[in-house]
Amino acid sequence: MVPRTKPGNGRKPKKKVTSKRKVTKKAKASIGQVWTAAEIRRLTIGYKKKSASQLAKELKRTLASVRGKISSLGLTKGPVKRKVAKKKVAKKKVAKKKVAKKKVAKKKVAKKKVAKKKVAKKKVAKKKAAPKRKVAKKKARAKAKRKR
């Protein structure tokens, strides 16, 4: 069916303009240097310990190209971060244990002090009671002599 124009206009309707370029699924290869196997190996090994900017300087490439290659290879720094986190957790546990040991030590010292005070009180009480006992013994001897 032929599209109709507006009455009285006298012009033909405009056709849709489509681009003449072909749409491709993948873009062309990078315009810069091609990555060699040795460079890729250095990148995969070094990325675990170094930053992308450090690797870019070592490989004499741009930061963008290094980041692009890292993402295309699917590299991550995951295990290194986990180790650091484990170390932090371990340090916290050690610190908590030290604090707990200090608390236990303080409690033991406090208990020893209390025990020493009790012993001292008992000694004082015995010293005070000793003269009374001597007096009681003397009275008992005196009664025994009277009865004889």
Side-chain angles (χ1 to χ4, degrees):
M1 202 169 171
V2 178
R4 299 173 99 194
T5 60
K6 291 184 180 177
N9 193 353
R11 292 189 216 159
K12 293 182 180 177
K14 292 183 180 179
K15 293 182 180 180
K16 292 182 183 178
V17 178
T18 58
S19 65
K20 293 182 180 181
R21 282 195 239 161
K22 292 181 180 178
V23 179
T24 58
K25 292 182 181 178
K26 292 185 179 179
K28 290 183 179 180
S30 64
I31 297 169
Q33 297 173 332
V34 178
W35 284 84
T36 63
E39 288 176 326
I40 293 171
R41 196 176 321 113
R42 282 179 65 188
L43 183 68
T44 53
I45 294 168
Y47 188 64
K48 293 177 183 176
K49 296 180 182 177
K50 298 177 185 176
S51 66
S53 59
Q54 289 172 335
L55 289 169
K57 287 178 184 176
E58 286 179 15
L59 297 170
K60 296 179 182 176
R61 290 183 171 267
T62 63
L63 181 59
S65 67
V66 171
R67 284 183 178 165
K69 196 63 176 176
I70 288 168
S71 66
S72 68
L73 293 172
L75 300 177
T76 59
K77 291 190 177 190
V80 174
K81 289 180 182 177
R82 287 187 205 127
K83 287 180 183 177
V84 170
K86 285 181 183 179
K87 286 180 183 177
K88 286 180 182 178
V89 170
K91 284 181 182 179
K92 286 181 182 178
K93 285 182 180 178
V94 169
K96 284 182 182 179
K97 285 181 181 179
K98 285 182 180 178
V99 170
K101 284 182 180 179
K102 285 181 182 179
K103 286 181 181 178
V104 170
K106 284 181 181 179
K107 286 180 182 178
K108 285 182 180 179
V109 169
K111 285 181 181 179
K112 285 180 181 178
K113 284 182 181 178
V114 170
K116 284 181 181 178
K117 286 181 182 178
K118 286 181 181 179
V119 169
K121 284 181 182 179
K122 286 180 182 178
K123 285 181 180 178
V124 170
K126 284 182 182 179
K127 285 181 182 178
K128 288 181 180 177
K132 291 179 183 176
R133 288 183 195 153
K134 287 180 182 177
V135 172
K137 285 181 181 179
K138 284 181 182 178
K139 286 181 182 179
R141 285 182 195 158
K143 281 184 184 180
K145 284 182 181 179
R146 286 183 205 158
K147 288 183 181 179
R148 288 190 198 169

